[in-house]
Every structure is written in C-alpha cells, then in structure tokens.
Amino acid sequence: MAEYNLYKKIIKNIKSNINKTAIINDCGDKISYNDLKNSVENLSYNLLINIKYRNPKLLILLDNSEFLVYLLLACSKLHILNSPINASLKIDQIYKICELIKFTHIITTKKNVSTTRIKNDLNINIIFIEDLLSKNKSYKLNRKNYYNLNDDFIITFSSGSTGSPKPILLTQKIKIKRAQHAIEIYQIKKKDIIICPSPIHHSLGQRLAFVSLINYSTLVLMKNFNPIRWENNVYKYKVTIAIMISSQISLIVKKLINSNKFNSIRCLIASSSSINSSTKEKLINK
C-alpha cells in the first residue's frame, strides 16, 4: 500500500471535496480545497526556483495565516526541512536559534524590518512570502522525488523554560500518525468545523491544521488568541471542535462562562495540561 506525504494525503480525494471550504482566515475569507491545492502548487514551484541548495533548511518567520499553511504543505510536497517559529521573536533570539540549526534560508514578509540586519549578520538567504505567492502561468513540477516519510520534515522548539529553546525534530510520518490518532480518538467528522487559536509554530497549531485538512473538515484559523474574537468566531461559523491549551480554556471560562455563543461546540479538549476541577465543573454545568 502506497504511503502518502502530508500534502498528498490531503489532495488524494480532493475531487469529491473540491468546492468545500478548507480554511476560513482571520478576515473571514473562505478558501476552498481547490484554492488550497492551486496555491500550494504555485508556491511549491516558486519555492523550488528560489532555493539554490540541494538540502535546504528553512527558518520561517510568519504570523498565522493561510499562507503559512500553504508553505508547510509546499515543504511537505517537496520534502524540505523547515522550522516555523514565533515571528515576533527578538533578533538575538533568532540568532540563538540559528546557532543551533544551520539554516540556509529565512522566509518572512517584506514588512519585517529586521531582514536587512539578519541577512548581513548571518549571511543567510532571505525569501519573501509575497514573492512565493506571485502567480505563475505554469507551475507543474517535473522534479523526481526519492525521499520517504521518515526523512526529517519539521523542527519545533521547546518553550525554553530551562533557559534556551531545544529543537524537536519530527518526520512527516509522525505528523500524519498524530493527526490520524486525533481524528479517531475525538471522532472528528468531515462536517466538523475546527477552530485554531494556537500559533502554527506550535505543535498544537500544526496538529489542528493537519487534522482538519486531512479529514476534509473546515479550519477556522485565527491570527492569535483573543477570548472575545474566539467567541465571535465560534458563534459565526458554528464551530464544533475546539482543542486548546488549558490556560486559554480557563480564560474563556473566566470571561465568557455566561455566554450562549459557543453552544455549537460538541467537543472541547484541553491540551498541554489538565484544567482544574473548578473550571471543569463550570464547563459541565454550562
């Protein structure tokens, strides 16, 4: 039985889901699975012609958006090692990460005012996401791929509570298995609407994106977490699945427990650590 990478796993049955909404972004724009596929194919082509290295390592400095999701899926398609990190990190923090991993390229936005300094200090190639998103008349790739799913795919970093962040290296095979496990254990259906208030540079944000897209569900992708905006999104899009860190759930209970706007949620899951008994009781009574 053939094994699929993350991207191929998503598009293998896309014909029957081509007009279904894949992502609703922070501005309320709806991106279909067909738009997702076309954007990833186009970005993959632009990425390949902009990279001069045989085994590139990409450091990604982008905020949550559909474009970051496209980029991760392009890296999946091309089997390129990548590491999305917090785009608001200070320069000295970025330098520390670059000391740990010898990245060949940084992908960021033209709005990032630090790019010239980073380029000069680190002697590293800078690629702007705006250039990768430019449309091409033809973006078919004839690149033969001899990689497998056990190759290194993505690097995430620990929180740095011990003093310095530590890299965690994962393969596509692991990412796929984790997504499939979540789909099975939480009984996530194709009709579910899944909200993602977590940053994509965090493993939880990645899992939410991959779970939703592999399953042909709809992902409501927030730029960042805010209880009121979260509540409004849940109500507006009739969100059914919310997997969040416990501190976010505690904040929602504190500020919004009397709200009737999130009654559509059928499954609320605390990730990272368990919620305290008081918060749990309030949610159950709700």
Side-chain angles (χ1 to χ4, degrees):
M1 186 175 174
E3 286 189 302
Y4 295 96
N5 62 31
L6 264 168
Y7 177 59
K8 285 188 177 178
K9 197 91 176 167
I10 292 166
I11 66 167
K12 68 172 184 173
N13 294 318
I14 201 169
K15 286 185 179 179
S16 57
N17 298 281
I18 205 140
N19 295 317
K20 191 174 190 296
T21 299
I23 299 172
I24 302 174
N25 68 15
D26 209 46
C27 297
D29 301 322
K30 295 183 178 180
I31 297 109
S32 69
Y33 275 91
N34 187 51
D35 293 335
L36 173 82
K37 178 180 180 292
N38 290 337
S39 295
V40 173
E41 293 290 336
N42 182 77
L43 194 151
S44 298
Y45 179 87
N46 285 336
L47 184 59
L48 201 58
I49 63 176
N50 273 277
I51 290 176
K52 311 298 181 184
Y53 288 71
R54 183 175 177 80
N55 296 302
K57 297 182 182 69
L58 309 183
L59 182 65
I60 302 171
L61 293 168
L62 294 172
D63 291 324
N64 265 24
S65 71
E66 67 272 27
F67 309 125
L68 179 51
V69 176
Y70 299 161
L71 183 53
L72 293 188
L73 294 179
C75 288
S76 165
K77 174 183 172 66
L78 301 172
H79 289 261
I80 291 176
L81 181 61
N82 69 94
S83 180
I85 64 171
N86 189 343
S88 62
L89 286 180
K90 295 179 180 178
I91 285 187
D92 60 331
Q93 294 173 302
I94 296 171
Y95 289 176
K96 190 174 287 187
I97 286 172
C98 289
E99 287 175 5
L100 290 172
I101 310 290
K102 302 301 179 186
F103 291 103
T104 59
H105 300 75
I106 290 178
I107 298 182
T108 187
T109 173
K110 290 179 179 179
K111 295 178 182 178
N112 188 335
V113 296
S114 304
T115 50
T116 302
R117 181 178 166 187
I118 292 171
K119 181 178 175 66
N120 292 336
D121 289 351
L122 298 180
N123 191 26
I124 196 168
N125 297 284
I126 304 288
I127 300 175
F128 294 117
I129 188 67
E130 291 90 344
D131 296 331
L132 296 179
L133 294 170
S134 62
K135 299 292 184 184
N136 280 284
K137 292 181 180 178
S138 174
Y139 45 72
K140 289 185 178 180
L141 299 174
N142 296 317
R143 182 177 189 245
K144 289 187 176 180
N145 205 323
Y146 300 102
Y147 301 98
N148 64 62
L149 298 187
N150 290 313
D151 288 331
D152 298 335
F153 167 57
I154 198 164
I155 303 170
T156 56
F157 286 87
S158 65
S159 60
S161 58
T162 57
S164 60
K166 294 178 175 58
I168 302 165
L169 193 58
L170 297 171
T171 65
Q172 292 204 55
K173 194 168 192 175
I174 290 173
K175 284 293 186 183
I176 291 168
K177 282 188 174 181
R178 286 184 174 181
Q180 289 174 329
H181 178 69
I183 290 168
E184 291 168 11
I185 198 169
Y186 303 127
Q187 299 180 355
I188 298 173
K189 310 298 182 186
K190 185 176 167 181
K191 64 182 180 181
D192 276 315
I193 313 294
I194 302 171
I195 192 163
C196 178
S198 297
I200 300 293
H201 66 256
H202 190 280
S203 59
L204 177 57
Q206 294 163 23
R207 192 176 313 145
L208 287 166
F210 298 150
V211 161
S212 184
L213 298 176
I214 285 174
N215 204 50
Y216 297 106
S217 303
T218 295
L219 180 73
V220 178
L221 183 59
M222 296 180 65
K223 184 176 180 180
N224 47 49
F225 175 69
N226 173 282
I228 302 300
R229 285 176 48 247
W230 179 89
E231 175 196 36
N232 290 335
N233 281 334
V234 168
Y235 181 73
K236 182 176 182 179
Y237 303 117
K238 296 181 172 57
V239 168
T240 56
I241 304 285
I243 306 176
M244 309 165 71
I245 60 174
S246 54
S247 61
Q248 291 174 337
I249 294 176
S250 297
L251 192 59
I252 285 168
V253 168
K254 182 180 178 181
K255 290 183 175 293
L256 306 172
I257 194 60
N258 295 318
S259 171
N260 292 315
K261 287 188 174 182
F262 51 97
N263 292 337
S264 61
I265 292 179
R266 68 171 182 83
C267 189
L268 178 63
I269 301 139
S271 178
S272 72
S273 62
S274 59
I275 55 177
N276 61 51
S277 55
S278 172
T279 299
K280 191 181 295 185
E281 186 179 348
K282 288 177 181 177
L283 285 168
I284 291 171
N285 292 336
K286 173 67 176 171

